[in-house]
Amino acid sequence: MNPQVFNTPVDYLKGVGTARAEVLKKELGIFTYQDLLRHFPYKYIDRTRFYKIRDMDPELPHVQVIARLMRKEILGEKHTKRLIIQAQDDTGAMELAWFQGIKWAEKSLVIGKAYIIFGKPGMFNGKAQMAHPEMEPYSAEALKRMGNLTLQPGYNSTEKLRSFSLDSKGLQKLVAILLDQHVRDIPENLPLYILQKFKLMGRADAYRQIHFPQDATMLHEAQRRLKFEELFLIQMRLLKSKLLRTQKFKGNVFGTVGELFTTFYNELIPFPLTNAQKRVLKEIRIDTQRGVQMNRLLQGDVGSGKTVVALMCMLLAIDNGFQACIMAPTEILANQHYLSIKGLVGDDFVQVGLLTGSTKKKDRKVLHENLENGKLKILIGTHALIEDAVQYQNLGFVVIDEQHRFGVEQRSKLWRKAAVPPHVLVMTATPIPRTLAMTLYGDLDVSVIDELPAGRKPIETIHYYESQRLQMFGFIRREIALGRQVYVVYPLIQESEKLDLKNLMDGFEVISHEFPLPQYKVSVVHGKMPAADKDIEMQRFLKGETQIMVATTVIEVGVNVPNASVMIIENAERFGLSQLHQLRGRVGRGAEQSYCLLMSGQKLSREGRIRLDTMVRTNNGFEISEIDLQLRGPGNIEGTQQSGVLDLKLADLATDQELLLQARKCVEDIFARDPQLALPEHQVLHQASTTKSGGLTWDKIS
Ligand code: ADP
Ligand code: MG
């Protein structure tokens, strides 16, 4: 047993050598034995059956034939240069063609010899042809090897690698050599009892089976084992860093529920809390009593009532002698938070301040003073409130709204605002699937408000085709006659900003033309407008001076106009699901029935149709985010792009949710029972997390 073996440079493997090692590094990032072992097949091909040349049909997938090479010639010059080899079996003849790697193929393939030829049948000038087939000299032994493999691994390769004979076949040979020599050196890195509990294949077996599966069942088991391991190791890392953080940072203790909280709850709050809101408050209550710094992500759909939860947490902090702040990504949002908090607590209950980029110098000075002397209890603002000049007397609780815009850097800046880092609550209205949250924010605790306040009428969503535009106009008229307001939103795609702006302006023209009467006033807002103009237009709409707001997606984030009852989304098929859902969340904020009209062209892609159907079917942001994940894969979900965490080789967060939940639970249990990983059965993990080589670090993941 020698796990170090796997850090051996790939140069040392029999059949590699310096030149090939160089291209393996350059082209595939394969530096060591373990890198090679972790270059997993991307497909498996059934090679149990042999075809005859007579049966070559371009409709067939990759097939194999046994044929003799009869004649070869090099045709054309430079760019048209190609090697053509005639091959023949007892049923007919076909052409094998090489457009690249000609020199190598010409040299190594022997006329008169029989080969096992594997490739995709094609047709050229009425003749059966195969381009760049894999060639294996025919022998009884080779045939037996093929026959024993029901599923042949297919490996990604490149032109460059192929010129070094490292096509899929060549890579397969290297992996075979490596496994033959060292499969027994592959150390198990999961505790035995976990293998037993989840009926997981041993690690060495799994590596062999994933490269050279005995049959489909074994392949599946090998994949399951290695996926589990991948997810398990990520969770180990995340939960370990959480553990370390909680050990390192003390947290403020909010020991008492005091005057402000109680009074607010008993006298001021204008509605009963939903069960979900109560649950989240309880979670935070528990967190803030433990003497450990809280880092919690609060997810909840637009309108689910996150603000009041945040407010009550802040009151709790103040009751315990601390200050609190809310940081919002834009001034508009900071303003809105300020107004809604003021709306909830009134003027005299607790001192609340607003600090943004446009706060006057004079006011700023007063704010700073009152923050430092502790009079000001709640500060709401933009980035401005983490500027160095802003000093708190005793900051104990921080709310961050919309986490996507705040990096870790900014968060840590906040931590340094007090001797003991404040508790942090990150709120987001972009629900992400549980599995993603667990992987992306695995070191945060996650709370979810999955329930809307009672009495809220679900937004009704209708999909209209272009041909039904008149119905849409009718809709607008009817709602405006009822005193309501309407959004019309156009997509904005970076690459064609000009075209988008034109679409928007055309739309504005059409609307203005369609609604010429004085009772219809139309606002327009887009990203190219000066901020001041944008603000004026927004304000006009907010005050009800205009009835229709034609806009690009700049209105997406956070704008609250309760009287707006219709959201019309033009070219809805061009929006992603999460964006559609965010836009829809702009309406349905008052007591009246609200609508979302999705306008699309007649022709829709399959995905486009699924997106629109999903929107029509459900208002549930979590359900929508799950479907988004299925459609687009984890890498494309908003906010995940820069996260190395999602660099999974085998597991798929969309389809392997069950496995992830199992792995997560497993790791939680381990740390709960044995945080030092000191038990004998955890030895294998302990080593892994403390030493640089061997054990877990055998893998790059750890
Ligand atoms: P979010 O920030 O989650 O989008 P808000 O906190 O802005 O949602 O709440 C949306 C609206 O619902 C606000 O007007 C708020 O006062 C109201 N609200 C919040 N909680 C409740 C509740 N439990 N019952 C009734 N209305 C509520
Ligand atoms: Mg909000």
Side-chain angles (χ1 to χ4, degrees), residues 306-307 337 401:
K306 295 185 291 296
T307 312
H337 275 304
D401 196 9

Coordinates of all heavy atoms in Angstrom, one line a residue, residues 306-307 337 401, ligand 2:
K306 N -39.4 38.9 4.0 CA -38.1 38.8 4.7 C -37.8 40.0 5.5 O -37.1 39.9 6.5 CB -37.0 38.6 3.6 CG -37.1 37.3 2.8 CD -36.0 37.1 1.8 CE -36.1 38.0 0.6 NZ -37.2 37.9 -0.2
T307 N -38.3 41.1 5.1 CA -37.9 42.4 5.7 C -38.3 42.4 7.2 O -37.5 42.8 8.1 CB -38.5 43.6 5.0 OG1 -38.3 43.5 3.6 CG2 -37.9 44.9 5.5
H337 N -36.0 49.9 1.7 CA -35.9 49.3 3.0 C -36.1 50.3 4.1 O -36.8 50.0 5.1 CB -34.5 48.7 3.2 CG -34.4 47.3 2.6 ND1 -35.2 46.3 2.9 CD2 -33.5 46.8 1.7 CE1 -34.9 45.2 2.3 NE2 -33.8 45.5 1.5
D401 N -28.7 42.4 1.9 CA -29.8 42.0 0.9 C -29.2 41.7 -0.4 O -28.4 42.4 -0.9 CB -30.8 43.2 0.8 CG -32.1 42.8 0.2 OD1 -32.3 41.6 0.1 OD2 -32.9 43.7 -0.1
Ligands
MG2 MG -37.3 42.6 0.0

